[in-house]
Amino acid sequence: MRLLLSPSPEQFQKPHKTPPFNAERKLGNYRNQFELKMATQLPDDFKCPISLEIMSDPVILSSGHTFDRASIQRWLDSGHRTCPITKLPLPDHPPLIPNHALRSLISNYTLLFPPKSQLNASPPPSKPQPQTLFSTLTSPSSPLNSKLVLLSQLTRLTKLDHGLRRQLTESGAVSAVLNCVSSPESVLQEKALSLLLNLSLDDDNKVGLVAEGAIGRVVTVLRVGSPDSRAIGCTILTSLAVVEVNKATIGAYPNAIQALVTLLNYGNGREVKEAATTLYAICSFPDNRRRAVECGAVPILVRIGGMGLERAVEVLSMLVKCKEGREEMGRIGGCLRVLVKVIKNGSKRGIQCGLFTLNYLCCYSEEMCGEAKREGVLEICLGLVEDDNEKVSRNASSLVQTLSGCRLVE
């Protein structure tokens, strides 16, 4: 049996002229790589279980399995009345239901990455443009299900494949994906956001995605999207914030931090956790700490920190570095009790952040220093000085020195 990607005998007989090295040649290399991926990673989606060739007219049998129409028709015409895969009996005249979604997906992929036999045929066909693949995403006439199938497949393929992520971004996919992010169809929006998240995994893409307008689209999702979309949107911003310049860009974008703080206050469990993670990431940039405080983040963080979300205490450990954050924490009566609770019962990471935050507060406030002593913080810290976690031990030692000397920072 000839392999899917093996050249035909006719190809061996024809001389092949090597094209000059240019963008078309580079796109050809991408096609070759993707053909191999299609043959090795997607056998059930693109290849007929009978012929093992890419399906041109996929149909669904009553057993639920998909076959190429010509192959399954030959099977039936030979007198078989069982499913080739399950061996379950079929009716005398089994219906063959067209699988339009899969056919649309295969059509788009083969337009962009045609088989080698087509690429080497004479005369050569016109070169398909990369945008052909994504016309499905942008065309108003494309069925919703076709868009969902395409986005799902691309998301699955790009999750672990750096090369494919690069191919998609270089081929102009981002604008098409962002159009879907702005869709009023929540399910389409979620699928597009998942693909956008994958594309943001590479540092080389992060600045480019921001330049394409990703932040504005995501911030809109944070404000009016579905709960799942909002959670994914937060994760995208966290991913983009790995690049330092993007932290400043996200923080300065109108309503970005306010949208995150609103999710902290009103979101579900997943939204709250993802929003807190994003705030922690972008608040390593100093100006964003002040912005978060001005948007009312501190009392919300104290409240949800008291409910057991340690990520809120991590964000407080960022906001305490600015004057506005310390002053706001000092005005909230329950802040110290929340920090003490985490120091007593939290994880190593929570204890570390709780000690750090409390030490900062005590360094700048004699009143906070005295209240911490009355809550027994000094005794707790003495027990943590010998902790096997180096950061916990160091932060506990620093807080012991602060509480013992009560030397305030001017």
Side-chain angles (χ1 to χ4, degrees):
M1 178 179 64
R2 183 169 63 86
L3 292 176
L4 177 65
L5 299 182
S6 298
S8 65
E10 291 78 14
Q11 288 175 270
F12 281 117
Q13 296 168 8
K14 292 186 179 181
H16 175 66
K17 285 182 101 174
T18 302
F21 181 79
N22 54 24
E24 290 183 354
R25 188 180 189 185
K26 187 175 182 181
L27 181 58
N29 291 335
Y30 286 165
R31 289 193 185 101
N32 295 340
Q33 296 168 15
F34 203 88
E35 282 181 26
L36 180 61
K37 186 177 301 299
M38 287 170 64
T40 58
Q41 293 191 8
L42 300 173
D44 295 331
D45 292 332
F46 290 88
K47 296 166 66 177
C48 174
I50 298 175
S51 68
L52 301 182
E53 298 287 346
I54 295 177
M55 291 181 281
S56 60
D57 187 8
V59 293
I60 305 171
L61 203 57
S62 56
S63 63
H65 292 277
T66 297
F67 303 88
D68 200 24
R69 183 183 293 275
S71 296
I72 191 61
Q73 192 63 59
R74 283 194 298 269
W75 170 268
L76 297 172
D77 290 346
S78 299
H80 297 285
R81 286 299 178 267
T82 59
C83 172
I85 294 178
T86 65
K87 307 303 181 185
L88 294 175
L90 299 172
D92 290 338
H93 301 285
L96 301 179
I97 304 171
N99 191 334
H100 294 298
L102 182 56
R103 181 174 184 172
S104 175
L105 177 62
I106 294 174
S107 175
N108 278 295
Y109 271 96
T110 53
L111 278 172
L112 183 58
F113 301 99
K116 291 182 180 178
S117 58
Q118 294 181 23
L119 290 174
N120 294 334
S122 180
S126 59
K127 300 289 185 180
Q129 297 299 313
Q131 286 77 10
T132 303
L133 174 62
F134 308 106
S135 63
T136 298
L137 300 181
T138 56
S139 173
S141 61
S142 297
L144 175 62
N145 195 49
S146 296
K147 296 181 180 181
L148 295 176
V149 171
L150 177 57
L151 288 170
S152 296
Q153 294 287 359
L154 290 175
T155 300
R156 181 165 66 87
L157 285 170
T158 55
K159 187 172 184 179
L160 299 175
D161 193 325
H162 162 76
L164 182 56
R165 293 196 294 267
R166 180 181 175 186
Q167 290 177 43
L168 294 180
T169 53
E170 289 183 354
S171 68
V174 173
S175 61
V177 176
L178 289 177
N179 283 339
C180 294
V181 168
S182 298
S183 170
E185 295 284 350
S186 61
V187 63
L188 182 62
Q189 185 180 82
E190 291 168 22
K191 295 288 187 183
L193 286 167
S194 296
L195 178 55
L196 186 64
L197 175 59
N198 285 357
L199 297 179
S200 76
L201 295 176
D202 301 315
D203 288 352
D204 291 344
N205 290 342
K206 296 182 191 294
V207 175
L209 290 174
V210 171
E212 291 265 11
I215 292 177
R217 305 293 183 101
V218 172
V219 169
T220 299
V221 169
L222 298 186
R223 297 172 59 204
V224 300
S226 68
D228 285 343
S229 290
R230 293 195 293 259
I232 300 171
C234 289
T235 309
I236 291 172
L237 293 183
T238 302
S239 176
L240 295 176
V242 170
V243 176
E244 198 66 26
V245 66
N246 286 349
K247 297 176 182 178
T249 306
I250 294 170
Y253 195 90
N255 299 314
I257 290 181
Q258 183 62 67
L260 291 168
V261 173
T262 300
L263 286 183
L264 280 181
N265 201 18
Y266 299 108
N268 62 28
R270 181 186 176 197
E271 292 174 274
V272 170
K273 184 176 180 179
E274 296 297 343
T277 301
T278 305
L279 281 174
Y280 180 81
I282 66 175
C283 284
S284 62
F285 182 71
D287 286 355
N288 290 342
R289 301 167 193 162
R290 174 182 51 78
R291 293 182 178 119
V293 174
E294 291 174 352
C295 288
V298 172
I300 300 170
L301 290 166
V302 171
R303 175 175 60 80
I304 62 179
M307 297 168 61
L309 183 65
E310 287 189 358
R311 186 57 53 86
V313 178
E314 294 179 25
V315 182
L316 289 174
S317 73
M318 283 290 181
L319 302 187
V320 77
K321 297 178 182 179
C322 71
K323 178 182 178 182
E324 295 84 357
R326 293 190 295 272
E327 291 176 348
E328 186 68 14
M329 291 179 210
R331 284 192 285 266
I332 300 174
C335 182
L336 186 139
R337 287 191 295 275
V338 169
L339 296 175
V340 172
K341 178 181 177 181
V342 173
I343 292 170
K344 285 181 177 180
N345 305 311
S347 66
K348 295 294 184 181
R349 174 68 176 165
I351 294 170
Q352 170 196 331
C353 292
L355 290 169
F356 181 90
T357 305
L358 190 51
N359 188 41
Y360 245 99
L361 292 173
C362 290
C363 282
Y364 285 88
S365 170
E366 186 173 356
E367 181 181 351
M368 187 70 73
C369 199
E371 187 177 350
K373 287 181 178 180
R374 290 190 293 272
E375 291 286 338
V377 173
L378 183 58
E379 291 75 12
I380 298 172
C381 289
L382 290 173
L384 293 173
V385 168
E386 300 298 328
D387 194 271
D388 55 1
N389 184 289
E390 188 269 337
K391 291 184 178 180
V392 169
S393 175
R394 185 174 68 242
N395 287 352
S397 298
S398 297
L399 186 50
V400 167
Q401 293 176 12
T402 299
L403 294 176
S404 300
C406 280
R407 292 187 295 272
L408 302 183
V409 177
E410 298 296 332

